[in-house]
Amino acid sequence: MTHTEVTKPSGRHFFRLHGERKRVFLTQLPLSLIMVVAVLIAVAIYPQSFKQPLFLAALVMHVLLLAASLAVPWERFSPSAVLIIPYLDFVAIGLFRGGNQQFLTAVGLLIFFPVFWLASSGLAKRTSVVVSVVAALLIVWMPVLTAPDGFTLEELARPLLFPIVVLAYATTVVAVTNTMNVQRKALEAKDVQLRASLEASQQRERLLETVVDTVAVGLVVVDGGGNDMLMNATQRKLHAYALPENIDHPKEKDLLVFATDAITPVPADERPVLRAIRGEEFTNYQVWLGSGEKARAVSTAARPMRDEQGTFHGAVIAFHDVTDMMAALAAKNDFVANVSHEFRTPLTSIQGYLEMALEDSDELPPDVLTYLTIASRNVDRLSSLVSDLLTTDSMSLELTRTNVARLVAESLASAAPSAEHNKVTLNSQVQEPLEALIDTRRIGQVLDNLISNAVKYSPDGGTVTVRTWAEGADLWCEVQDTGIGMNSSEQAQAFTKFFRARTAVQRSIPGIGLGLMITKTIIAKHGGTISLESERNVGTTIRFVLPGCLGSGGRMVGLGRISQPELEDAP
């Protein structure tokens, strides 16, 4: 639609779209049809009317006006030029009434056609009303004024009601037309705004579709009833992997969705989309789509959509293809394991020869003894590193009844020199005696990792507190420091192999990022869970629980050295 069409869609311009001549012809046509009916009545009942010159002149004039309305190129003239037709209609109606006295009453009503045309044109409104009233007066007074016997005031006053009705009619049409024009203009302005808003909305929708189809992450948006509202191109490709070959229109339960082992089917109610429909919020929920060589590993995340009242209105689910990353991690783990195995053999040989050389330390020159001692210490360190690299989920446990308080004391004693160097105060809030059925060496390794990390990441001094307590048959342990802490993104990766916090790297704090990964593996092998809470420049708290390891005698002798307030402070 052009600008002219939007801003000037009045009745006049509407007809102009179909031709100005057609508009004028259609406006004149109703009056002409009424004249035809009147002529037919005259032919049937009053044929003598055709002997009246005025009657014939009126007919000829109506024919000419109808022909002119269609033949004249009105679009070439100004809009007001067409008003000559209704003005001449007044003359034709006056002649028609004067030429046939039998139709006085009916013919007078014909004046309402040109009156309506003038009053509704929106052009020369006052003139239109005045001309309409004058024309009505002339039509009703002409027979009186031209009577052979003369006229009286009473005869002039008798038909005055008709011009007054015409005046009221013309005024009403003008008022209604004005009101309609105001409403029309308001609607036109609203229409322009709505069209602009629609165009902007369509533009934003096209932009959104382009953006979501461009990103390499699959996106699905569902409403509160679980119906798909949006699915981008990436997600359609990922979804195709989960489609079974023998089902044309599979339901959610029929899709090929497997757990992290790529073998165990994920129950329908545990699949990402259905979890999101239930209003759950999750991150990095990993599943496999499809089977065989075409299977893809995806990491999913979901966020619910809620209104201001908290009512659930749908969810957005993101699917990130991590197949290549999983393959790269597996290749990296294989490489590290293979290299570590290759390191172990020569390290064992070096370590053995160094131990043999150091057996006769009394016979060695002091400088040689110093060199060999340093070499032996570094070989032990390298051997420990290789052992850490080889620590995997396949480790085996040797469970024995162990005094947890003793394990904590030994780990604190080992960390004491580093704590003194970093000006860190070590605190122990340990319930004893507290015996647990655990792998002594592995849990000792966990405590060493956690306490040494707490000391190491408190380079500016502070406090490290170790707490252990029993809850039923479960053993709880917590290591809390007041060190440099971590931000949220670092916390999410803290248990990842080889991960180092940026602050630790910047401050050259030693480490290779294996301690927390090994710690989590050991806790998981005991059937336990571990969690981490941290805040930058405030500190870190790591807490783990080993379920059922205390047996039926969880608290055993009781509170021991730990006081009741200290227990209440424990999480």
Side-chain angles (χ1 to χ4, degrees), residues 202-256:
Q202 291 174 339
Q203 180 65 24
R204 288 193 296 269
E205 182 178 358
R206 289 191 293 268
L207 176 62
L208 176 61
E209 290 178 353
T210 303
V211 170
V212 299
D213 283 340
T214 301
V215 297
V217 176
L219 293 175
V220 176
V221 181
V222 295
D223 60 19
N227 302 307
D228 289 347
M229 299 173 61
L230 181 148
M231 180 184 293
N232 69 348
T234 302
Q235 179 55 24
R236 286 192 289 270
K237 293 178 181 178
L238 290 175
H239 184 72
Y241 291 108
L243 297 176
E245 296 181 356
N246 56 344
I247 303 178
D248 294 333
H249 301 287
K251 298 181 179 179
E252 179 65 30
K253 64 181 181 62
D254 301 320
L255 298 178
L256 303 178

CSV table of all heavy atoms in Angstrom, one decimal, residues 202-256:
chain,number,residue,atom,x,y,z
A,202,GLN,N,7.7,-8.3,12.8
A,202,GLN,CA,8.1,-9.3,11.8
A,202,GLN,C,9.6,-9.2,11.5
A,202,GLN,O,10.3,-10.2,11.4
A,202,GLN,CB,7.3,-9.1,10.5
A,202,GLN,CG,5.9,-9.4,10.5
A,202,GLN,CD,5.1,-9.0,9.3
A,202,GLN,OE1,5.6,-8.2,8.5
A,202,GLN,NE2,3.9,-9.6,9.1
A,203,GLN,N,10.1,-8.0,11.6
A,203,GLN,CA,11.6,-7.8,11.4
A,203,GLN,C,12.3,-8.5,12.6
A,203,GLN,O,13.3,-9.1,12.4
A,203,GLN,CB,11.9,-6.3,11.3
A,203,GLN,CG,13.4,-6.0,11.1
A,203,GLN,CD,14.0,-6.5,9.8
A,203,GLN,OE1,13.2,-6.7,8.9
A,203,GLN,NE2,15.3,-6.8,9.8
A,204,ARG,N,11.8,-8.2,13.8
A,204,ARG,CA,12.4,-8.8,15.0
A,204,ARG,C,12.3,-10.4,14.9
A,204,ARG,O,13.3,-11.1,15.3
A,204,ARG,CB,11.8,-8.3,16.3
A,204,ARG,CG,12.2,-6.8,16.6
A,204,ARG,CD,11.8,-6.5,18.0
A,204,ARG,NE,10.3,-6.5,18.2
A,204,ARG,CZ,9.5,-5.5,18.0
A,204,ARG,NH1,10.0,-4.4,17.6
A,204,ARG,NH2,8.2,-5.7,18.2
A,205,GLU,N,11.2,-10.8,14.5
A,205,GLU,CA,11.0,-12.3,14.4
A,205,GLU,C,12.0,-12.9,13.4
A,205,GLU,O,12.6,-13.9,13.6
A,205,GLU,CB,9.6,-12.6,14.0
A,205,GLU,CG,9.3,-14.1,13.9
A,205,GLU,CD,7.9,-14.4,13.5
A,205,GLU,OE1,7.1,-13.4,13.3
A,205,GLU,OE2,7.5,-15.6,13.4
A,206,ARG,N,12.2,-12.2,12.2
A,206,ARG,CA,13.1,-12.7,11.2
A,206,ARG,C,14.6,-12.6,11.8
A,206,ARG,O,15.4,-13.5,11.6
A,206,ARG,CB,13.0,-11.8,10.0
A,206,ARG,CG,11.8,-12.1,9.1
A,206,ARG,CD,11.9,-11.4,7.8
A,206,ARG,NE,11.9,-10.0,7.9
A,206,ARG,CZ,10.8,-9.2,7.8
A,206,ARG,NH1,9.6,-9.8,7.7
A,206,ARG,NH2,10.9,-7.9,7.9
A,207,LEU,N,14.9,-11.6,12.6
A,207,LEU,CA,16.2,-11.4,13.2
A,207,LEU,C,16.4,-12.6,14.2
A,207,LEU,O,17.5,-13.2,14.2
A,207,LEU,CB,16.3,-10.1,13.9
A,207,LEU,CG,17.6,-9.8,14.6
A,207,LEU,CD1,18.8,-9.9,13.7
A,207,LEU,CD2,17.5,-8.5,15.4
A,208,LEU,N,15.4,-12.8,15.0
A,208,LEU,CA,15.5,-13.9,16.0
A,208,LEU,C,15.7,-15.2,15.3
A,208,LEU,O,16.5,-16.1,15.7
A,208,LEU,CB,14.2,-13.9,16.9
A,208,LEU,CG,14.1,-15.1,17.9
A,208,LEU,CD1,15.3,-15.0,18.9
A,208,LEU,CD2,12.8,-15.0,18.7
A,209,GLU,N,14.9,-15.5,14.3
A,209,GLU,CA,15.0,-16.8,13.6
A,209,GLU,C,16.4,-16.9,13.0
A,209,GLU,O,17.0,-18.0,13.0
A,209,GLU,CB,14.0,-16.9,12.5
A,209,GLU,CG,12.5,-17.0,13.0
A,209,GLU,CD,11.5,-17.1,11.9
A,209,GLU,OE1,11.9,-16.9,10.7
A,209,GLU,OE2,10.3,-17.3,12.2
A,210,THR,N,16.9,-15.8,12.4
A,210,THR,CA,18.3,-15.9,11.9
A,210,THR,C,19.3,-16.1,12.9
A,210,THR,O,20.3,-16.9,12.7
A,210,THR,CB,18.6,-14.5,11.1
A,210,THR,OG1,17.6,-14.3,10.1
A,210,THR,CG2,20.0,-14.6,10.5
A,211,VAL,N,19.2,-15.5,14.1
A,211,VAL,CA,20.2,-15.6,15.2
A,211,VAL,C,20.1,-17.1,15.7
A,211,VAL,O,21.2,-17.7,15.8
A,211,VAL,CB,19.9,-14.6,16.3
A,211,VAL,CG1,20.7,-14.9,17.5
A,211,VAL,CG2,20.2,-13.2,15.8
A,212,VAL,N,18.9,-17.6,16.0
A,212,VAL,CA,18.8,-18.9,16.6
A,212,VAL,C,19.2,-20.0,15.6
A,212,VAL,O,19.7,-21.1,16.0
A,212,VAL,CB,17.4,-19.2,17.2
A,212,VAL,CG1,17.1,-18.2,18.3
A,212,VAL,CG2,16.4,-19.1,16.1
A,213,ASP,N,19.0,-19.7,14.3
A,213,ASP,CA,19.5,-20.7,13.4
A,213,ASP,C,21.0,-20.6,13.1
A,213,ASP,O,21.5,-21.5,12.5
A,213,ASP,CB,18.7,-20.5,12.0
A,213,ASP,CG,17.3,-21.1,12.1
A,213,ASP,OD1,17.0,-21.9,13.0
A,213,ASP,OD2,16.4,-20.7,11.3
A,214,THR,N,21.6,-19.5,13.5
A,214,THR,CA,23.0,-19.4,13.3
A,214,THR,C,23.9,-20.0,14.3
A,214,THR,O,24.9,-20.5,14.1
A,214,THR,CB,23.4,-17.9,13.1
A,214,THR,OG1,22.6,-17.3,12.1
A,214,THR,CG2,24.8,-17.6,12.9
A,215,VAL,N,23.4,-19.9,15.6
A,215,VAL,CA,24.2,-20.4,16.7
A,215,VAL,C,24.4,-21.9,16.6
A,215,VAL,O,23.5,-22.7,16.0
A,215,VAL,CB,23.5,-20.1,18.1
A,215,VAL,CG1,23.5,-18.6,18.3
A,215,VAL,CG2,22.1,-20.7,18.2
A,216,ALA,N,25.5,-22.4,17.1
A,216,ALA,CA,25.8,-23.9,17.0
A,216,ALA,C,25.2,-24.6,18.2
A,216,ALA,O,25.7,-25.8,18.4
A,216,ALA,CB,27.3,-24.0,17.0
A,217,VAL,N,24.3,-24.1,18.9
A,217,VAL,CA,23.7,-24.7,20.0
A,217,VAL,C,22.2,-25.0,19.7
A,217,VAL,O,21.5,-24.1,19.2
A,217,VAL,CB,23.7,-23.9,21.3
A,217,VAL,CG1,23.0,-24.5,22.5
A,217,VAL,CG2,25.2,-23.7,21.7
A,218,GLY,N,21.7,-26.2,19.9
A,218,GLY,CA,20.3,-26.5,19.6
A,218,GLY,C,19.4,-25.9,20.7
A,218,GLY,O,19.7,-25.9,21.9
A,219,LEU,N,18.4,-25.2,20.2
A,219,LEU,CA,17.4,-24.5,21.1
A,219,LEU,C,16.0,-25.0,20.9
A,219,LEU,O,15.6,-25.2,19.7
A,219,LEU,CB,17.5,-23.0,20.9
A,219,LEU,CG,18.8,-22.3,21.3
A,219,LEU,CD1,18.7,-20.8,20.9
A,219,LEU,CD2,19.1,-22.4,22.7
A,220,VAL,N,15.3,-25.3,22.0
A,220,VAL,CA,13.9,-25.7,21.9
A,220,VAL,C,13.2,-24.9,22.9
A,220,VAL,O,13.6,-24.7,24.1
A,220,VAL,CB,13.7,-27.2,22.3
A,220,VAL,CG1,12.2,-27.5,22.3
A,220,VAL,CG2,14.4,-28.1,21.3
A,221,VAL,N,12.1,-24.3,22.5
A,221,VAL,CA,11.2,-23.5,23.4
A,221,VAL,C,9.9,-24.2,23.4
A,221,VAL,O,9.3,-24.4,22.4
A,221,VAL,CB,11.1,-22.0,22.9
A,221,VAL,CG1,10.2,-21.2,23.9
A,221,VAL,CG2,12.4,-21.4,22.8
A,222,VAL,N,9.4,-24.5,24.6
A,222,VAL,CA,8.1,-25.2,24.8
A,222,VAL,C,7.2,-24.3,25.7
A,222,VAL,O,7.7,-23.5,26.5
A,222,VAL,CB,8.3,-26.6,25.4
A,222,VAL,CG1,9.0,-27.5,24.5
A,222,VAL,CG2,9.0,-26.5,26.8
A,223,ASP,N,5.9,-24.4,25.5
A,223,ASP,CA,5.0,-23.7,26.3
A,223,ASP,C,4.6,-24.5,27.6
A,223,ASP,O,5.2,-25.5,27.8
A,223,ASP,CB,3.7,-23.3,25.5
A,223,ASP,CG,3.0,-24.6,25.0
A,223,ASP,OD1,3.2,-25.7,25.5
A,223,ASP,OD2,2.1,-24.4,24.1
A,224,GLY,N,3.7,-23.9,28.4
A,224,GLY,CA,3.4,-24.6,29.6
A,224,GLY,C,2.8,-26.0,29.4
A,224,GLY,O,2.9,-26.8,30.4
A,225,GLY,N,2.2,-26.3,28.3
A,225,GLY,CA,1.6,-27.6,28.0
A,225,GLY,C,2.6,-28.5,27.4
A,225,GLY,O,2.2,-29.7,27.0
A,226,GLY,N,3.8,-28.1,27.1
A,226,GLY,CA,4.8,-29.0,26.5
A,226,GLY,C,4.8,-28.9,25.0
A,226,GLY,O,5.5,-29.7,24.4
A,227,ASN,N,4.1,-28.0,24.4
A,227,ASN,CA,4.1,-27.9,22.9
A,227,ASN,C,5.3,-27.1,22.4
A,227,ASN,O,5.6,-26.1,23.0
A,227,ASN,CB,2.8,-27.3,22.5
A,227,ASN,CG,1.5,-28.1,23.0
A,227,ASN,OD1,1.4,-29.3,22.7
A,227,ASN,ND2,0.6,-27.4,23.6
A,228,ASP,N,5.9,-27.6,21.4
A,228,ASP,CA,7.0,-26.9,20.8
A,228,ASP,C,6.6,-25.5,20.2
A,228,ASP,O,5.6,-25.4,19.5
A,228,ASP,CB,7.7,-27.7,19.7
A,228,ASP,CG,8.4,-28.9,20.2
A,228,ASP,OD1,8.6,-29.0,21.4
A,228,ASP,OD2,8.7,-29.8,19.4
A,229,MET,N,7.3,-24.4,20.7
A,229,MET,CA,7.0,-23.1,20.2
A,229,MET,C,8.1,-22.7,19.2
A,229,MET,O,7.9,-21.9,18.3
A,229,MET,CB,6.9,-22.1,21.3
A,229,MET,CG,5.8,-22.4,22.3
A,229,MET,SD,5.9,-21.3,23.7
A,229,MET,CE,5.7,-19.7,22.9
A,230,LEU,N,9.3,-23.2,19.4
A,230,LEU,CA,10.4,-22.8,18.5
A,230,LEU,C,11.5,-24.0,18.6
A,230,LEU,O,11.7,-24.5,19.7
A,230,LEU,CB,11.1,-21.5,19.0
A,230,LEU,CG,12.3,-21.0,18.2
A,230,LEU,CD1,12.2,-19.4,18.2
A,230,LEU,CD2,13.6,-21.4,18.8
A,231,MET,N,12.1,-24.3,17.5
A,231,MET,CA,13.2,-25.2,17.4
A,231,MET,C,14.1,-24.8,16.3
A,231,MET,O,13.7,-24.6,15.1
A,231,MET,CB,12.7,-26.6,17.1
A,231,MET,CG,13.8,-27.7,17.0
A,231,MET,SD,13.2,-29.4,16.6
A,231,MET,CE,12.3,-29.8,18.0
A,232,ASN,N,15.3,-24.5,16.6
A,232,ASN,CA,16.2,-23.9,15.6
A,232,ASN,C,16.8,-25.1,14.7
A,232,ASN,O,16.6,-26.2,15.0
A,232,ASN,CB,17.3,-23.1,16.2
A,232,ASN,CG,18.3,-23.9,17.0
A,232,ASN,OD1,18.1,-25.1,17.3
A,232,ASN,ND2,19.5,-23.3,17.4
A,233,ALA,N,17.6,-24.7,13.7
A,233,ALA,CA,18.1,-25.6,12.7
A,233,ALA,C,19.0,-26.6,13.3
A,233,ALA,O,19.0,-27.8,13.0
A,233,ALA,CB,18.8,-24.9,11.6
A,234,THR,N,19.9,-26.1,14.3
A,234,THR,CA,20.8,-27.0,14.9
A,234,THR,C,20.1,-28.1,15.7
A,234,THR,O,20.5,-29.3,15.6
A,234,THR,CB,21.7,-26.2,15.9
A,234,THR,OG1,22.4,-25.2,15.1
A,234,THR,CG2,22.8,-27.1,16.5
A,235,GLN,N,19.0,-27.7,16.4
A,235,GLN,CA,18.3,-28.7,17.2
A,235,GLN,C,17.6,-29.7,16.3
A,235,GLN,O,17.4,-30.9,16.6
A,235,GLN,CB,17.3,-28.0,18.1
A,235,GLN,CG,16.5,-29.0,19.0
A,235,GLN,CD,17.3,-30.0,19.8
A,235,GLN,OE1,18.5,-29.7,20.1
A,235,GLN,NE2,16.8,-31.1,20.1
A,236,ARG,N,17.1,-29.3,15.1
A,236,ARG,CA,16.4,-30.2,14.2
A,236,ARG,C,17.4,-31.3,13.7
A,236,ARG,O,17.1,-32.5,13.6
A,236,ARG,CB,15.8,-29.4,13.0
A,236,ARG,CG,14.6,-28.7,13.4
A,236,ARG,CD,13.9,-28.2,12.1
A,236,ARG,NE,14.6,-27.1,11.5
A,236,ARG,CZ,14.4,-25.8,11.8
A,236,ARG,NH1,13.6,-25.4,12.7
A,236,ARG,NH2,15.1,-24.9,11.1
A,237,LYS,N,18.7,-30.9,13.5
A,237,LYS,CA,19.7,-31.9,13.1
A,237,LYS,C,20.0,-32.8,14.3
A,237,LYS,O,20.1,-34.1,14.1
A,237,LYS,CB,21.0,-31.2,12.7
A,237,LYS,CG,20.8,-30.3,11.4
A,237,LYS,CD,22.1,-29.6,11.1
A,237,LYS,CE,22.0,-28.8,9.8
A,237,LYS,NZ,23.2,-28.0,9.5
A,238,LEU,N,20.1,-32.3,15.5
A,238,LEU,CA,20.4,-33.2,16.7
A,238,LEU,C,19.2,-34.1,16.9
A,238,LEU,O,19.4,-35.3,17.3
A,238,LEU,CB,20.7,-32.3,17.9
A,238,LEU,CG,22.0,-31.6,17.9
A,238,LEU,CD1,22.1,-30.7,19.2
A,238,LEU,CD2,23.2,-32.5,17.9
A,239,HIS,N,18.0,-33.6,16.8
A,239,HIS,CA,16.8,-34.4,17.0
A,239,HIS,C,16.7,-35.5,16.0
A,239,HIS,O,16.2,-36.6,16.4
A,239,HIS,CB,15.5,-33.5,16.9
A,239,HIS,CG,14.2,-34.2,17.2
A,239,HIS,ND1,13.9,-34.5,18.4
A,239,HIS,CD2,13.2,-34.6,16.4
A,239,HIS,CE1,12.7,-35.2,18.4
A,239,HIS,NE2,12.3,-35.2,17.2
A,240,ALA,N,17.2,-35.3,14.8
A,240,ALA,CA,17.2,-36.4,13.8
A,240,ALA,C,18.0,-37.6,14.3
A,240,ALA,O,17.6,-38.8,13.9
A,240,ALA,CB,17.7,-35.9,12.5
A,241,TYR,N,19.0,-37.4,15.1
A,241,TYR,CA,19.8,-38.5,15.5
A,241,TYR,C,19.0,-39.4,16.5
A,241,TYR,O,19.3,-40.6,16.6
A,241,TYR,CB,21.1,-38.1,16.3
A,241,TYR,CG,22.1,-37.4,15.4
A,241,TYR,CD1,22.3,-36.0,15.4
A,241,TYR,CD2,22.9,-38.1,14.5
A,241,TYR,CE1,23.2,-35.4,14.6
A,241,TYR,CE2,23.8,-37.5,13.6
A,241,TYR,CZ,24.0,-36.2,13.7
A,241,TYR,OH,24.9,-35.6,12.9
A,242,ALA,N,18.1,-38.9,17.2
A,242,ALA,CA,17.3,-39.6,18.2
A,242,ALA,C,16.1,-40.3,17.6
A,242,ALA,O,15.4,-41.0,18.3
A,242,ALA,CB,16.9,-38.7,19.3
A,243,LEU,N,15.8,-40.1,16.3
A,243,LEU,CA,14.6,-40.7,15.7
A,243,LEU,C,14.9,-42.2,15.4
A,243,LEU,O,15.9,-42.5,14.7
A,243,LEU,CB,14.2,-40.0,14.4
A,243,LEU,CG,13.8,-38.5,14.6
A,243,LEU,CD1,13.6,-37.9,13.2
A,243,LEU,CD2,12.6,-38.4,15.5
A,244,PRO,N,14.0,-43.1,15.8
A,244,PRO,CA,14.2,-44.5,15.5
A,244,PRO,C,13.8,-44.7,14.0
A,244,PRO,O,12.9,-44.0,13.5
A,244,PRO,CB,13.2,-45.2,16.4
A,244,PRO,CG,12.2,-44.2,16.8
A,244,PRO,CD,12.9,-42.9,16.8
A,245,GLU,N,14.4,-45.7,13.4
A,245,GLU,CA,14.2,-45.9,11.9
A,245,GLU,C,12.8,-46.6,11.6
A,245,GLU,O,12.3,-46.4,10.6
A,245,GLU,CB,15.3,-46.7,11.4
A,245,GLU,CG,16.7,-46.0,11.4
A,245,GLU,CD,17.8,-46.9,10.8
A,245,GLU,OE1,17.5,-48.0,10.4
A,245,GLU,OE2,18.9,-46.4,10.8
A,246,ASN,N,12.3,-47.3,12.5
A,246,ASN,CA,11.1,-48.1,12.3
A,246,ASN,C,9.8,-47.5,12.7
A,246,ASN,O,8.8,-48.1,12.7
A,246,ASN,CB,11.3,-49.5,12.9
A,246,ASN,CG,11.5,-49.4,14.4
A,246,ASN,OD1,11.8,-48.4,14.9
A,246,ASN,ND2,11.3,-50.5,15.1
A,247,ILE,N,9.9,-46.2,13.2
A,247,ILE,CA,8.7,-45.6,13.7
A,247,ILE,C,8.5,-44.2,12.9
A,247,ILE,O,9.4,-43.4,13.0
A,247,ILE,CB,8.7,-45.3,15.2
A,247,ILE,CG1,8.9,-46.7,15.9
A,247,ILE,CG2,7.4,-44.6,15.7
A,247,ILE,CD1,9.0,-46.5,17.4
A,248,ASP,N,7.4,-44.0,12.3
A,248,ASP,CA,7.2,-42.8,11.4
A,248,ASP,C,7.0,-41.6,12.3
A,248,ASP,O,7.6,-40.5,12.0
A,248,ASP,CB,6.0,-43.0,10.5
A,248,ASP,CG,6.3,-44.1,9.5
A,248,ASP,OD1,7.5,-44.3,9.1
A,248,ASP,OD2,5.3,-44.7,9.0
A,249,HIS,N,6.2,-41.7,13.3
A,249,HIS,CA,5.9,-40.5,14.2
A,249,HIS,C,6.1,-40.9,15.6
A,249,HIS,O,5.2,-41.2,16.4
A,249,HIS,CB,4.4,-40.1,14.0
A,249,HIS,CG,4.1,-39.7,12.6
A,249,HIS,ND1,4.6,-38.5,12.0
A,249,HIS,CD2,3.4,-40.4,11.6
A,249,HIS,CE1,4.1,-38.5,10.7
A,249,HIS,NE2,3.4,-39.6,10.5
A,250,PRO,N,7.4,-41.0,16.0
A,250,PRO,CA,7.7,-41.4,17.4
A,250,PRO,C,7.3,-40.4,18.4
A,250,PRO,O,7.3,-39.2,18.2
A,250,PRO,CB,9.2,-41.6,17.3
A,250,PRO,CG,9.7,-40.6,16.3
A,250,PRO,CD,8.6,-40.6,15.2
A,251,LYS,N,6.9,-41.0,19.6
A,251,LYS,CA,6.6,-40.2,20.7
A,251,LYS,C,7.9,-40.0,21.6
A,251,LYS,O,9.0,-40.6,21.2
A,251,LYS,CB,5.5,-40.8,21.6
A,251,LYS,CG,4.2,-40.9,20.8
A,251,LYS,CD,3.2,-41.6,21.7
A,251,LYS,CE,1.8,-41.7,21.0
A,251,LYS,NZ,0.8,-42.3,21.9
A,252,GLU,N,7.8,-39.2,22.6
A,252,GLU,CA,9.0,-39.0,23.4
A,252,GLU,C,9.7,-40.2,24.0
A,252,GLU,O,10.9,-40.4,23.9
A,252,GLU,CB,8.7,-38.0,24.6
A,252,GLU,CG,9.8,-37.7,25.5
A,252,GLU,CD,10.9,-36.9,24.9
A,252,GLU,OE1,10.6,-36.1,23.9
A,252,GLU,OE2,12.1,-37.0,25.2
A,253,LYS,N,8.8,-41.2,24.4
A,253,LYS,CA,9.3,-42.4,25.0
A,253,LYS,C,10.0,-43.3,23.9
A,253,LYS,O,10.8,-44.2,24.2
A,253,LYS,CB,8.2,-43.2,25.6
A,253,LYS,CG,7.1,-43.6,24.7
A,253,LYS,CD,6.0,-44.4,25.4
A,253,LYS,CE,4.9,-44.9,24.5
A,253,LYS,NZ,5.4,-45.8,23.5
A,254,ASP,N,9.7,-43.0,22.6
A,254,ASP,CA,10.3,-43.9,21.6
A,254,ASP,C,11.6,-43.3,21.1
A,254,ASP,O,12.4,-44.0,20.4
A,254,ASP,CB,9.3,-43.9,20.4
A,254,ASP,CG,8.0,-44.5,20.7
A,254,ASP,OD1,8.0,-45.5,21.5
A,254,ASP,OD2,7.0,-44.0,20.3
A,255,LEU,N,12.0,-42.1,21.4
A,255,LEU,CA,13.2,-41.5,21.0
A,255,LEU,C,14.5,-42.2,21.6
A,255,LEU,O,14.4,-42.7,22.7
A,255,LEU,CB,13.3,-40.0,21.3
A,255,LEU,CG,12.2,-39.1,20.7
A,255,LEU,CD1,12.4,-37.7,21.2
A,255,LEU,CD2,12.3,-39.2,19.2
A,256,LEU,N,15.5,-42.3,20.8
A,256,LEU,CA,16.8,-42.9,21.2
A,256,LEU,C,17.6,-42.0,22.1
A,256,LEU,O,18.4,-41.2,21.6
A,256,LEU,CB,17.5,-43.4,20.0
A,256,LEU,CG,16.8,-44.3,19.0
A,256,LEU,CD1,17.7,-44.7,17.9
A,256,LEU,CD2,16.3,-45.6,19.8
